[in-house]
Amino acid sequence: MTALKIIFWICVFLVFYTYIGYGMLLWVLVQIKRFVRGKAAQRDLPADDVLPHVTFMICAYNEQDIVDMKMENTLQLDYPHDKLHIMWVTDGSTDQTNERLAQYPEVEVVFTPERKGKTAALNHGISQVHSEITVMTDANTIVNPEAIREIVRCFQDPRVACVAGEKRVMARNDGQSAAEGEGLYWKYESALKRMDSELYSAMGAAGELNAIRTKFYQPMPETALLDDFVMSMRMVDQGYKIAYTSDAYAMEYGSADLTEESKRKRRIAAGGLQSIWWLRQMMNPFRRPIVAFQFVSHRVLRWSITPIALIALIPLNVALVFLKAGTVYNFIWLLQILFYLAAFASWLLEKQGRKSRLLYVPYYFLFMNLNVFRGMKYLSTHKTSGAWEKAKRG
């Protein structure tokens, strides 16, 4: 029974630490750093005449329906027009994307007839970039007008090789569960990124909005499923930092429903597992201790063993209850029952077109973790291609 108890408490610790404990510990460490060194002052933005040239890159596949929306937003960016170069990289598009882009003379179109996936598009596109900074964003996002200036401000720190903007998720309709669940997740994720960045470096940049010093880009294998994460973390592995700023943000609608959201989650989980293996040297605490601590705590655990620990708690807890291990195990088993009943009740309400915000939290949490297992299967079937099926947005 002792061995069973030890395994049980290890699983409890992993689940708690991964989703709550790391955030708490990170907050404490950031407060200590502020006390010892003071809060870092915001760097000044250079005058317009010395601002660096920036390439604003959009990778796209069959995006004819949103070209005009994206270009309207792009042309509203507050940055000197003679220093902002707009590039669309169209990866095997078979619709009217290129024809629509031809209506905008300020746009450089880099076209590849064969669809190879976003990573291949990035490799091709960045090989054509000549500016000091490359800002990357998705075709379906709306970027705030001040974004590029705020990103350039972050690059005033010579230790920063990549800047991660904030992702904000919008729901097209009130009560759109997938979008609201995704939005809640990203609010927490953004808080972690902000503290990670202040402690040392953010752990990865999201493809919705990020920027790099172009010279540090390393071409990636075209099979990469999380190109943005691998690209940015390679720069951390070189000794540079990823700065995070919420003053540069990209807004997009959440997934149309949980079926579409599942497509995203399992691809992200598969890409996470792939990335862990490719970046495994970063887990070595003797190379860069702080990076290893942040990488394992924020990324590795949630993409690997913690979902397994979460599921393992069920049979372990049942066994300890039947073995009459003690009141604490009975209490935790009761909490587990309530948690899964709440998730099930939320699922039933979802089927009926209704929703409880309180019950939805355990439902979405469980949904996220179950998709890690689906991601394992996804990875086994996508070893030779980085292309994926796009999730429909709300």
Side-chain angles (χ1 to χ4, degrees):
M1 187 187 296
T2 301
L4 206 61
K5 288 182 179 179
I6 292 172
I7 297 171
F8 174 81
W9 286 110
I10 289 174
C11 289
V12 169
F13 171 78
L14 283 171
V15 173
F16 175 80
Y17 178 75
T18 301
Y19 297 110
I20 300 175
Y22 175 62
M24 296 169 62
L25 178 58
L26 191 58
W27 183 85
V28 171
L29 292 174
V30 167
Q31 300 309 308
I32 293 173
K33 183 178 179 180
R34 287 181 182 178
F35 178 77
V36 174
R37 298 186 181 181
K39 190 172 182 179
Q42 188 180 49
R43 293 176 179 266
D44 294 330
L45 187 68
D48 282 8
D49 59 337
V50 292
L51 283 173
H53 284 260
V54 173
T55 295
F56 192 71
M57 179 186 292
I58 302 128
C59 290
Y61 168 71
N62 286 356
E63 299 286 9
Q64 63 178 17
D65 294 336
I66 58 177
V67 165
D68 293 334
M69 175 208 74
K70 184 65 176 181
M71 282 305 303
E72 181 181 356
N73 173 238
T74 301
L75 295 173
Q76 291 175 352
L77 292 171
D78 178 21
Y79 203 78
H81 287 177
D82 62 326
K83 294 189 174 184
L84 181 62
H85 311 278
I86 305 170
M87 176 186 289
W88 281 68
V89 184
T90 58
D91 174 50
S93 291
T94 56
D95 63 356
Q96 299 297 306
T97 298
N98 290 342
E99 286 77 5
R100 286 183 179 271
L101 287 171
Q103 300 172 20
Y104 299 92
E106 56 271 88
V107 172
E108 176 185 359
V109 178
V110 178
F111 174 59
T112 305
E114 181 185 357
R115 188 189 182 200
K116 295 183 178 180
K118 187 180 177 183
T119 306
L122 276 177
N123 289 339
H124 186 198
I126 292 185
S127 70
Q128 308 299 311
V129 172
H130 302 291
S131 62
E132 178 184 344
I133 294 171
T134 303
V135 177
M136 289 160 278
T137 182
D138 288 344
N140 63 342
T141 60
I142 298 295
V143 176
N144 65 308
E146 305 81 16
I148 297 183
R149 287 184 180 271
E150 293 303 325
I151 286 170
V152 169
R153 186 195 304 276
C154 293
F155 278 121
Q156 297 311 296
D157 183 345
R159 299 169 298 174
V160 171
C162 177
V163 176
E166 183 168 280
K167 174 180 176 177
R168 298 183 182 181
V169 179
M170 304 177 292
R172 195 179 296 273
N173 303 305
D174 186 42
Q176 190 176 350
S177 298
E180 292 180 4
E182 186 184 353
L184 181 65
Y185 165 79
W186 273 103
K187 286 178 182 177
Y188 180 61
E189 180 66 15
S190 295
L192 290 180
K193 283 187 175 184
R194 186 161 44 251
M195 290 189 289
D196 270 335
S197 179
E198 188 170 349
L199 182 65
Y200 177 72
S201 170
M203 290 292 105
E208 286 77 11
L209 180 61
N210 66 77
I212 61 169
R213 295 189 193 273
T214 310
K215 65 181 180 181
F216 291 136
Y217 183 81
Q218 298 178 2
M220 293 175 288
E222 293 181 359
T223 54
L225 296 172
L226 284 187
D227 48 87
D228 44 11
F229 181 75
V230 174
M231 174 192 71
S232 56
M233 289 300 287
R234 278 181 167 182
M235 294 178 186
V236 176
D237 196 39
Q238 293 176 51
Y240 296 97
K241 297 181 179 183
I242 302 170
Y244 176 81
T245 174
S246 58
D247 293 326
Y249 57 86
M251 298 181 292
E252 68 176 355
Y253 288 111
S255 300
D257 52 44
L258 286 173
T259 300
E260 296 299 318
E261 177 67 356
S262 182
K263 293 178 184 178
R264 291 185 61 260
K265 290 299 183 189
R266 66 174 180 260
R267 177 181 62 81
I268 291 171
L273 290 167
Q274 183 188 63
S275 302
I276 289 171
W277 178 248
W278 286 359
L279 302 169
R280 58 191 181 278
Q281 73 278 0
M282 296 184 71
M283 291 186 277
N284 183 351
F286 298 104
R287 292 179 76 242
R288 294 188 179 89
I290 296 177
V291 169
F293 161 69
Q294 291 182 291
F295 181 45
V296 171
S297 298
H298 192 163
R299 298 298 187 184
V300 175
L301 291 178
R302 69 167 66 174
W303 283 335
S304 56
I305 62 174
T306 298
I308 297 172
L310 178 68
I311 300 302
L313 279 174
I314 299 173
L316 287 170
N317 207 166
V318 169
L320 288 167
V321 168
F322 276 101
L323 290 172
K324 298 181 179 180
T327 304
V328 66
Y329 299 100
N330 296 338
F331 179 69
I332 295 175
W333 178 234
L334 177 62
L335 292 179
Q336 284 209 74
I337 291 173
L338 292 174
F339 173 83
Y340 286 104
L341 282 176
F344 180 67
S346 182
W347 177 78
L348 287 178
L349 289 173
E350 181 82 14
K351 291 293 183 183
Q352 298 169 13
R354 295 186 292 160
K355 181 186 172 186
S356 164
R357 292 182 184 272
L358 180 63
L359 297 178
Y360 192 72
V361 173
Y363 176 42
Y364 193 81
F365 177 80
L366 187 60
F367 168 81
M368 270 196 323
N369 280 279
L370 289 177
N371 273 290
V372 172
F373 295 97
R374 299 186 70 186
M376 295 175 184
K377 181 180 178 180
Y378 184 99
L379 182 60
S380 68
T381 58
H382 288 72
K383 292 181 178 179
T384 59
S385 173
W388 65 83
E389 180 186 359
K390 295 188 297 183
K392 295 177 183 177
R393 292 289 173 174

